[in-house]
Amino acid sequence: MKSKVLLYTRFERFWHWFQAFLIIFLLATGFEIHGTFHMLGYGAACYWHNLAGMTLLILTAFAIFWHLTTGQWRHYQPCSENLKKIAGYYCVGIMRGEPHPFRKSPERKLNPLQALSYFFLKVFLLPLQLLSGLIYYFYNDWLNWGFALRLDSVAIVHTALAFVLLIFLIVHIYLTTTGGTLISYTMAMITGWEEIDEEICG
Amino acid sequence: MDVKGLNYACTTCHVTKAHKISGRYYSRPAPGRHQLALPADDGERLACESCHSRSPHKKSAILNHHTDKVACQSCHIPRYARGGVYTKMWWDWSSAGKFTKDGKAIVKKDKNGKLAYHSKKGDMRWDANVVPEYFWYNGSMSYLHEGDRIPPHEGPLQLNSLQGNYNDPGARVFPFKVMRGKQPYDPVERMLVVPYLFGKKGTGAYWADYDWKKAAAVGMREAGLPFSGKVSFVETEMFWPITHMVAPKEDSLGCAECHRRNNGRLEHLTGFYLPGRDRWQLLDTLGWVLSGLTVLIILLHAGMRLVSSARRKDADTQGEVDHEK
Ligand code: HEM
């Protein structure tokens, strides 16, 4: 028996897609500023990058508030339980057509591997990137505030983290194709509803 | 100066008080970290900031962020000698003194009608609509004076040298015309010579007798400086800060003139991080290689998923056939 459950609330879906858009946009404009390619033009790239950066900061502030007030932060609590089993599933089981060893439920939306990687994304990667971006933005004020920070040290952190985010994004998008059908996970994030196997749920 | 525009006279900017004309003051460096360059802070030193302040841009915070490190002139005078007026870029005195076989002065013009060679002056080059050269400059220069010994130097001898660098809070990127050429000097005394130019034949005047040694001997004697009797030529350069001919704001320098990987206007200014121009090659290589590897692994994984699911389907239909039997 399959049954549909509401996995992602309206705010969560809005937040997810807005954040996805912003991060992809920040990557594109960021690498244009970096000099990798030319698209919008340098001035426009800087302008939109800064605007998107500030928007992401505000969105993140809302998201943190939402996670804390709804208790949803618990989903990201990493636990080592079953990690090997799930890693094994993605390497071998998925080829054999075995069912996913983890059962999704509104109480536990993320499998341990997801929880671990999203924890890493949300607790280290994004905050550090937001912080280094903010420091980059206020570069001209450091001296007045009494910091003798060099621009190149900020830029190297900001660029390195951008690469990590890019790789994260690539893997993330690929893993969305590993559901029941190629787009079932994506559809779940759009509609909020996901079909969950009740038999295995037991 | 633009009659159709503000129509400023020289003295609108160069205001005069008790015969002190405000302008470039050799003894006073450019405005430091002040917001406005007011007489109380900077004496009679004139600056764009005297009228405009340090943050004149209303629409763009990024532009105002630049004014601590990039002088207004760098962005607002995208080219000098505009409007079809040529400016001399090169003057080689060493080739002066050549004549036609019948002893007549040689005068050559270039394709724009500007003097390219004259027996009295040597070779010259002219240019119009020139892209300035940019250097860090804190408003002070040191000069090679008459009678100074030529310091050891690599490349051309600098007649004036600019002070300031990236780490100097008073220094900014400033545009210059660099006047280059070759000038006579005394290789033994290591001194630029003061030649005697105008005069009657027989007085040693260069433009009458065309003999550098005689012209130098007379000139140096008049100047009260030693002269060994030898004359050579040294390549020289002189830096002229550019401040006039501010272009309409639409013609201000675009970001990518400086922020670009190659051939940017600030290509030769190093020792600081310029976004878009600078990067760590290692980080970039590592980043792109790892991203590429990730994509590769994903493609492999996806391929294996495809093959194994096709096999499974095959096996399933096989199974159904068996069942029917
Ligand atoms: C997903 C997040 C982000 C990514 C992937 C990203 C990526 C990049 C990259 C690759 C660069 C070029 C660095 C260089 O070559 O020196 C850059 C520049 C910059 N980033 Fe970000 N960035 C992100 C978020 C932010 C945020 C939140 C801010 C804060 C406002 C920000 C502010 C800046 C600033 C100020 C610059 C310098 C150019 C400019 O003024 O726009 N970034 N970014």
Side-chain angles (χ1 to χ4, degrees):
Chain A
M1 253 307 277
K2 297 215 176 203
S3 74
K4 277 197 159 189
V5 292
L6 184 67
L7 217 48
Y8 307 110
T9 62
R10 189 186 298 226
F11 174 80
E12 228 173 348
R13 281 175 281 144
F14 159 76
W15 167 56
H16 171 271
W17 289 112
F18 197 25
Q19 170 168 276
F21 164 75
L22 287 174
I23 290 179
I24 292 170
F25 186 76
L26 283 161
L27 274 169
T29 48
F31 277 108
E32 171 156 22
I33 295 163
H34 188 59
T36 309
F37 55 84
H38 302 285
M39 185 175 58
L40 300 175
Y42 201 88
C46 278
Y47 176 80
W48 289 107
H49 189 85
N50 293 351
L51 201 69
M54 289 306 169
T55 314
L56 183 58
L57 270 170
I58 296 168
L59 182 66
T60 307
F62 274 108
I64 291 173
F65 179 74
W66 178 82
H67 276 93
L68 290 181
T69 50
T70 58
Q72 289 283 338
W73 58 271
R74 285 196 189 82
H75 290 289
Y76 301 102
Q77 243 179 322
C79 64
S80 53
E81 163 209 358
N82 290 337
L83 258 185
K84 266 198 197 141
K85 222 166 153 188
I86 289 168
Y89 165 75
Y90 283 115
C91 292
V92 185
I94 193 169
M95 307 292 171
R96 299 203 184 126
E98 284 169 12
H100 200 292
F102 176 79
R103 285 164 274 125
K104 273 189 196 174
S105 69
E107 290 75 41
R108 198 91 179 93
K109 295 188 230 180
L110 303 175
N111 73 47
L113 193 64
Q114 273 178 313
L116 188 71
S117 45
Y118 294 161
F119 180 79
F120 165 73
L121 173 73
K122 279 160 203 203
V123 174
F124 292 104
L125 204 50
L126 272 180
L128 274 180
Q129 186 66 335
L130 295 182
L131 189 72
S132 62
L134 212 58
I135 295 177
Y136 208 143
Y137 188 80
F138 287 109
Y139 161 65
N140 273 274
D141 300 307
W142 304 341
L143 263 186
N144 302 341
W145 296 340
F147 299 104
L149 204 56
R150 285 180 60 102
L151 185 57
D152 44 6
S153 34
V154 179
I156 200 169
V157 172
H158 201 61
T159 312
L161 290 176
F163 274 117
V164 180
L165 271 166
L166 176 66
I167 293 170
F168 189 98
L169 185 73
I170 298 172
V171 176
H172 177 76
I173 292 175
Y174 176 63
L175 287 180
T176 64
T177 67
T178 58
T181 68
L182 287 183
I183 56 161
S184 58
Y185 285 166
T186 311
M187 288 315 286
M189 194 43 100
I190 293 173
T191 61
W193 294 87
E194 182 157 337
E195 273 191 354
I196 286 178
D197 241 326
E198 287 226 79
E199 273 168 43
I200 316 174
C201 264
Chain B
M1 318 256 65
D2 180 0
V3 196
K4 282 176 267 136
L6 286 173
N7 199 14
Y8 272 10
C10 311
T11 46
T12 316
C13 293
H14 295 281
V15 279
T16 313
K17 201 171 69 193
H19 296 279
K20 279 193 185 149
I21 305 168
S22 63
R24 185 151 77 82
Y25 269 69
Y26 297 92
S27 55
R28 259 191 218 102
R33 298 194 67 83
H34 308 300
Q35 178 67 15
L36 279 163
L38 297 174
D41 302 325
D42 297 291
E44 268 70 47
R45 179 108 194 194
L46 174 64
C48 316
E49 286 89 336
S50 313
C51 297
H52 284 289
S53 93
R54 261 252 162 121
S55 357
H57 307 100
K58 286 165 223 96
K59 279 184 275 177
S60 164
I62 294 185
L63 288 179
N64 287 338
H65 283 170
H66 277 76
T67 55
D68 60 336
K69 289 288 177 196
V70 183
C72 321
Q73 288 91 336
S74 292
C75 289
H76 286 293
I77 311 177
R79 285 166 181 267
Y80 62 92
R82 296 197 307 274
V85 181
Y86 283 78
T87 186
K88 196 181 287 168
M89 303 298 293
W90 170 260
W91 187 341
D92 178 0
W93 281 96
S94 71
S95 61
K98 285 185 233 160
F99 292 90
T100 58
K101 274 192 212 104
D102 40 342
K104 284 217 182 86
I106 301 173
V107 180
K108 280 190 224 153
K109 300 247 168 120
D110 65 13
K111 60 178 194 297
N112 303 307
K114 304 305 290 183
L115 193 64
Y117 182 82
H118 195 294
S119 302
K120 280 184 172 177
K121 300 178 180 174
D123 282 298
M124 294 171 193
R125 281 201 296 272
W126 301 73
D127 208 352
N129 213 15
V130 193
V131 173
E133 293 178 47
Y134 298 85
F135 301 97
W136 291 104
Y137 174 52
N138 65 14
S140 301
M141 294 179 181
S142 41
Y143 298 85
L144 190 68
H145 299 97
E146 188 183 289
D148 283 351
R149 305 271 168 197
I150 293 176
H153 56 96
E154 277 172 45
L157 170 66
Q158 297 191 341
L159 299 181
N160 61 348
S161 51
L162 307 174
Q163 306 198 343
N165 54 43
Y166 175 72
N167 295 316
D168 176 348
R172 294 182 287 170
V173 173
F174 210 92
F176 291 87
K177 168 182 171 174
V178 185
M179 178 67 203
R180 299 191 163 89
K182 283 190 184 166
Q183 301 197 35
Y185 82 112
D186 178 340
V188 179
E189 294 288 347
R190 299 199 61 75
M191 213 176 266
L192 288 172
V193 301
V194 184
Y196 177 44
L197 280 183
F198 303 85
K200 294 212 175 74
K201 254 195 175 6
T203 57
Y206 185 75
W207 285 350
D209 296 338
Y210 294 101
D211 183 333
W212 280 116
K213 284 183 189 141
K214 281 187 199 153
V218 178
M220 293 302 263
R221 196 184 59 223
E222 284 303 310
L225 293 168
F227 178 57
S228 71
K230 289 212 170 71
V231 176
S232 283
F233 286 85
V234 59
E235 196 174 326
T236 59
E237 56 187 15
M238 188 166 189
F239 300 88
W240 296 355
I242 296 172
T243 283
H244 298 131
M245 290 201 81
V246 169
K249 62 179 177 193
E250 302 77 42
D251 298 339
S252 317
L253 223 56
C255 320
E257 292 276 354
C258 299
H259 293 277
R260 67 197 299 164
R261 188 76 81 223
N262 299 307
N263 305 323
R265 290 199 177 194
L266 306 187
E267 198 175 20
H268 303 290
L269 292 184
T270 50
F272 67 102
Y273 181 80
L274 186 58
R277 179 192 72 176
D278 299 326
R279 60 178 165 166
W280 287 265
Q281 190 56 59
L282 190 70
L283 175 63
D284 262 40
T285 314
L286 201 72
W288 294 122
V289 166
L290 287 180
S291 311
L293 272 179
T294 311
V295 171
L296 207 72
I297 291 172
I298 282 176
L299 286 178
L300 269 173
H301 193 269
M304 279 160 67
R305 265 171 72 200
L306 228 88
V307 172
S308 66
S309 87
R311 267 208 209 119
R312 246 180 291 123
K313 257 190 210 129
D314 269 2
D316 282 355
T317 39
Q318 203 65 44
E320 274 162 34
V321 175
D322 288 348
H323 197 71
E324 274 167 24
K325 267 189 192 164

